[in-house]
Amino acid sequence: MAACVLRRGLLSTAIKLSKKHTRRIPSVADCNGGFEAHRLRLQCRVCGLSGGAQQRRFMSSRNRPEGKILETVGVFEAVKQHGKYETGQLFLHSVFGYRGIVLFPWHARLYDRDITPPMSDSKSEPPGAHGSKEVKGKTHTYYQVLIDTRDCPHISQRSQTEAVTFLANHDDSRALYAIPGLDYVSHEDILPYNSTEQVPIQHELFERFVMYNPSKSPPFTARDTLKAWQEKNHPWLELSDVHRETTENIRVTVIPFYMGMREAQNSHVYWWRYCIRLENMGNEVVQLRERHWRIFSLSGTLETVRGRGVVGREPVLSKEQPAFQYSSHVSLQAPSGHMWGTFRIERTDGSHFDVRIPPFSLESNKDDKAPPAGYTF
């Protein structure tokens, strides 16, 4: 419920801020029970004007009998239309509603199939995909961020709150481990704010990665441990390509990551993880019912995978909760390949339609000799 209220309330006013106007932010998920929204108007600290849309202050249902309200966590800053956010920038996620802090940026190539490109600087589709359309890539900024652990239990429209998994360093070729609360966030999903707290984000890596420095803006700077960790894990963290396509108001975004190669039964097994986000851009309530994947390997094999839902769920996408995000993994016995497919979507009247998953490449262009460091500092 946090995501939907933030999208309708906080997001609707924050994006309209001018550089001279800031707004106080009520804490969004500092509670143990379910969310209950209570309307109030927030005033601009500069001119005293009330926001055009009503904001919502959240209370724990467990705390409500005591009359306890949540504390203000910070002050909104102007959204950056140009340039990038720096290390240490605090933010709210505009879709999923959690608090976080920017660690460092990634400059990815976005291949948006909704945009008709010129013939140059484009990627063609793999054999057997949706068509022969070539897609132009443009540079787009994403950020590596830490998620406030207090907000993780309330992010209902994600299958998990970690977007980063690594191959284990021992002999089990299928063993994976994850770093909880480490995410990738697109520039347009950042709602920046500032806080007077020296430790505004609760995460076990917060004080290992950044230090409070009131002379800087934002007042958090990278520690040497963050710089060393980023450099050592760069091949396994790097976000390089983003693929996007919209079918009947359902937008699918795919981000693939190469994870490395392991030897198993005298053969090489190459691993990738991929993060998928579905967004309902319209007003109609729909539900994801099935997935249909085609996986092509450079070795010449073509695999078809069908199944109910995704990661054990069949998410509903509505105007109140328009997005769902999940991560999964795929392995090939070849150093490269392609994936594409469809999601079967059901309308409230029982009719169905297929939403295209944009084709994306699986490339192993990293050095496999150095295993990922993960938690090693």
Side-chain angles (χ1 to χ4, degrees):
M1 199 54 199
C4 70
V5 178
L6 278 165
R7 190 175 180 88
R8 290 184 297 171
L10 294 176
L11 177 60
S12 63
T13 55
I15 290 181
K16 298 178 182 178
L17 296 179
S18 70
K19 292 184 179 180
K20 295 183 179 180
H21 295 108
T22 57
R23 297 181 188 276
R24 291 187 291 275
I25 309 171
S27 177
V28 296
D30 201 4
C31 61
N32 296 318
F35 284 105
E36 293 188 6
H38 295 266
R39 296 180 183 271
L40 79 160
R41 289 185 178 272
L42 296 184
Q43 289 190 328
C44 171
R45 296 182 64 182
V46 176
C47 64
L49 295 177
S50 296
Q54 286 187 317
Q55 303 291 308
R56 295 172 185 256
R57 174 169 296 183
F58 299 97
M59 293 176 59
S60 165
S61 58
R62 187 174 301 173
N63 291 334
R64 187 181 179 187
E66 302 173 6
K68 183 179 179 180
I69 63 173
L70 301 183
E71 297 177 354
T72 298
V73 300
V75 177
F76 271 132
E77 298 176 350
V79 173
K80 283 193 175 182
Q81 303 296 334
H82 305 285
K84 62 182 178 63
Y85 297 105
E86 302 296 329
T87 296
Q89 177 65 61
L90 300 173
F91 70 92
L92 296 181
H93 195 293
S94 67
V95 176
F96 299 113
Y98 64 72
R99 288 165 286 183
I101 186 169
V102 170
L103 297 180
F104 46 83
W106 292 111
H107 299 294
R109 298 295 291 172
L110 172 62
Y111 296 93
D112 193 340
R113 297 179 57 80
D114 301 329
I115 300 174
T116 302
M119 293 304 293
S120 60
D121 190 23
S122 59
K123 279 194 173 184
S124 59
E125 293 191 339
H130 305 309
S132 58
K133 180 179 179 181
E134 292 192 340
V135 184
K136 180 179 174 61
K138 64 177 182 179
T139 302
H140 194 77
T141 302
Y142 277 73
Y143 300 94
Q144 198 86 68
V145 307
L146 291 180
I147 302 174
D148 194 310
T149 56
R150 294 169 294 184
D151 297 344
C152 290
H154 308 287
I155 308 175
S156 62
Q157 288 300 90
R158 288 177 59 144
S159 63
Q160 65 280 318
T161 53
E162 65 272 3
V164 179
T165 49
F166 293 95
L167 290 176
N169 290 331
H170 50 73
D171 294 335
D172 185 352
S173 64
R174 297 179 62 85
L176 303 173
Y177 68 93
I179 299 181
L182 190 64
D183 200 6
Y184 295 87
V185 180
S186 177
H187 182 87
E188 65 266 22
D189 287 337
I190 297 284
L191 293 179
Y193 74 92
N194 60 63
S195 171
T196 57
E197 297 181 52
Q198 294 188 23
V199 186
I201 301 298
Q202 290 190 12
H203 191 286
E204 61 179 315
L205 297 179
F206 179 83
E207 292 184 271
R208 300 187 72 172
F209 279 172
V210 297
M211 68 178 76
Y212 182 68
N213 186 344
S215 64
K216 299 289 185 178
S217 180
F220 301 98
T221 55
R223 292 183 183 271
D224 290 339
T225 49
L226 174 59
K227 298 173 184 177
W229 183 83
Q230 177 187 4
E231 181 179 354
K232 192 170 185 178
N233 288 281
H234 185 279
W236 322 105
L237 293 170
E238 183 180 11
L239 187 161
S240 56
D241 290 346
V242 180
H243 303 265
R244 180 183 294 167
E245 184 169 4
T246 304
T247 308
E248 296 195 35
N249 288 324
I250 305 300
R251 185 166 69 184
V252 178
T253 303
V254 183
I255 308 176
F257 300 88
Y258 178 57
M259 298 177 64
M261 181 271 292
R262 291 292 182 268
E263 293 186 10
Q265 299 177 348
N266 299 321
S267 65
H268 291 168
V269 179
Y270 298 84
W271 282 87
W272 292 263
R273 71 177 182 272
Y274 54 92
C275 179
I276 292 187
R277 184 157 114 184
L278 295 97
E279 292 179 86
N280 187 350
M281 314 302 290
N283 297 320
E284 188 177 18
V285 178
V286 297
Q287 185 170 13
L288 189 157
R289 289 300 192 185
E290 299 176 11
R291 68 189 185 279
H292 177 202
W293 281 107
R294 306 295 295 276
I295 306 170
F296 175 77
S297 171
L298 186 64
S299 63
T301 62
L302 179 61
E303 182 182 2
T304 298
V305 178
R306 292 181 180 270
R308 294 288 296 181
V310 289
V311 293
R313 297 176 63 174
E314 297 181 21
V316 174
L317 304 177
S318 63
K319 191 173 182 180
E320 291 73 27
Q321 292 189 318
F324 181 80
Q325 183 169 308
Y326 75 97
S327 295
S328 191
H329 302 85
V330 63
S331 63
L332 300 176
Q333 292 185 337
S336 64
H338 290 88
M339 289 180 66
W340 67 95
T342 57
F343 292 122
R344 175 62 56 91
I345 304 295
E346 182 179 344
R347 301 183 180 93
T348 53
D349 62 4
S351 61
H352 297 81
F353 62 97
D354 288 334
V355 169
R356 291 184 295 274
I357 304 170
F360 57 97
S361 299
L362 302 172
E363 303 290 348
S364 57
N365 55 356
K366 310 289 195 309
D367 180 8
D368 288 314
K369 295 180 180 179
Y375 263 130
T376 304
F377 296 93

